[in-house]
Amino acid sequence: MQPLFKAEVKSIRVVTDLLKAIHFKNVALISIFDEGVMVTVEEPNCSRATAYLKRNLFERYVKRTDEPIPPFGIQLGTLMDFLGLLSETGSTGAAADTCSWKYEEEGSPLELSQLGSHVKSTSRITTMEPTPETMEDEHDTAVRVIMKSNWLKVAFDDLEPPIERVTLSFSPSDPCLSLTGETETNAVRMEYPEQSESFVAFQCSEPTTFSYPCSQLMHCRKALDQSDEVSLRVSEEGVLCMVFRIRVLRHQDLEAYAQFTFNPLDMDIA
């Protein structure tokens, strides 16, 4: 019988860089769809990160069409270690940067194999029952912003300990965005005027302010450093969603995205 899923990755390095960007927890949820693969990690009731391995990151992508594939858990660090090992094994040049993925059936290991090598290297990674997710997806959006990443990086450079909380304030009038890092005794503030070159798009109909733990926001720092553009959405409840467009320098035709979701401080978790 045909495997539930079989694919060939165009670039191990691109996939590894994307997984590194979300690696703040070691147990990840793998979800396989017709459109691609989602790899998700979560800090319960606080934050969630998802790497989107879209179909354009794969040379071949075959999913059995007669049934959905149930999500499964995996040790993310083990997956990244095996990808690194395969990229160094056997062949040189472009072939060393490709590998195949196979998921035979529900509960079977995820199998990774080197392509283009005289000596075939195969790794089988044990899969696990998925852990229930605690972060909700559907929220009414109050603010939508698209920013150039380099402007946000400047602000994040100041968000180092002892900064404990970060307050984001959005407004339809200037300054339309301010970011404040707070300690018990001090604060640093950065403002972004409406006409600033930092914005690609800005949509806010009324003043909106929410605060987040700095330690949680810093989970997205690796994705921010790799990205050239970031989309921010804030729900009416204060849930912050940040989608980073990751630069793929050696593969200009590829698009890679990582999404981070953060609950605000003092949010009532049902």
Side-chain angles (χ1 to χ4, degrees):
M1 182 181 293
Q2 178 185 357
L4 282 175
F5 172 69
K6 188 171 183 179
E8 294 179 6
V9 172
K10 286 183 178 180
S11 172
I12 294 175
R13 292 178 179 87
V14 170
V15 171
T16 301
D17 287 346
L18 195 54
L19 296 180
K20 285 179 180 178
I22 68 163
H23 188 205
F24 63 84
K25 300 289 284 188
N26 198 38
V27 176
L29 181 71
I30 306 291
S31 304
I32 301 173
F33 303 100
D34 291 337
E35 300 82 10
V37 178
M38 291 171 49
V39 183
T40 302
V41 297
E42 182 178 285
E43 187 81 52
N45 297 315
C46 293
S47 57
R48 179 178 62 196
T50 299
Y52 291 98
L53 310 182
K54 294 190 175 183
R55 289 189 69 145
N56 68 342
L57 295 179
F58 297 87
E59 196 68 47
R60 291 181 63 252
Y61 191 96
V62 181
K63 174 184 169 293
R64 196 190 298 172
T65 58
D66 59 349
E67 57 185 296
I69 300 177
F72 55 87
I74 202 168
Q75 294 286 336
L76 182 56
T78 303
L79 173 59
M80 291 167 56
D81 287 344
F82 282 157
L83 287 170
L85 179 64
L86 291 178
S87 68
E88 298 171 0
T89 301
S91 58
T92 59
D97 197 29
T98 62
C99 73
S100 68
W101 291 25
K102 183 170 70 173
Y103 186 54
E104 194 71 41
E105 59 186 3
E106 185 177 355
S108 67
L110 179 65
E111 183 177 304
L112 280 67
S113 298
Q114 176 71 56
L115 298 177
S117 175
H118 296 297
V119 179
K120 184 176 181 179
S121 299
T122 299
S123 300
R124 295 178 177 86
I125 305 174
T126 301
T127 58
M128 303 173 287
E129 287 291 322
T131 301
E133 294 185 277
T134 62
M135 300 284 290
E136 297 182 9
D137 287 316
E138 298 299 327
H139 299 276
D140 293 329
T141 300
V143 177
R144 295 178 185 270
V145 178
I146 301 176
M147 295 184 68
K148 298 175 183 178
S149 295
N150 59 323
W151 289 81
L152 197 58
K153 290 174 190 176
V154 174
F156 268 63
D157 286 341
D158 292 330
L159 298 182
E160 300 291 344
I163 298 294
E164 297 175 352
R165 61 189 282 154
V166 177
T167 299
L168 296 177
S169 297
F170 302 87
S171 173
S173 58
D174 274 339
C176 55
L177 169 60
S178 65
L179 186 153
T180 305
E182 304 170 64
T183 70
E184 290 184 357
T185 60
N186 199 5
V188 293
R189 180 181 175 92
M190 179 167 289
E191 296 182 345
Y192 299 86
E194 183 178 4
Q195 301 302 320
S196 167
E197 295 180 358
S198 58
F199 298 117
V200 177
F202 188 93
Q203 179 182 339
C204 175
S205 58
E206 61 183 29
T208 302
T209 298
F210 289 100
S211 297
Y212 307 87
C214 183
S215 59
Q216 295 296 319
L217 282 186
M218 292 307 290
H219 288 329
C220 73
R221 183 59 203 252
K222 290 181 181 178
L224 176 61
D225 287 343
Q226 294 182 46
S227 69
D228 62 353
E229 192 172 276
V230 55
S231 170
L232 294 85
R233 298 194 309 272
V234 181
S235 76
E236 295 179 354
E237 297 82 11
V239 177
L240 171 64
C241 177
M242 306 175 74
V243 180
F244 298 90
R245 187 173 70 184
I246 305 297
R247 297 187 301 266
V248 184
L249 299 178
R250 289 167 298 172
H251 299 269
Q252 296 297 324
D253 60 322
L254 302 184
E255 292 182 347
Y257 293 89
Q259 176 175 307
F260 290 75
T261 304
F262 304 97
N263 282 342
L265 287 167
D266 304 322
M267 184 177 185
D268 183 17
I269 305 297

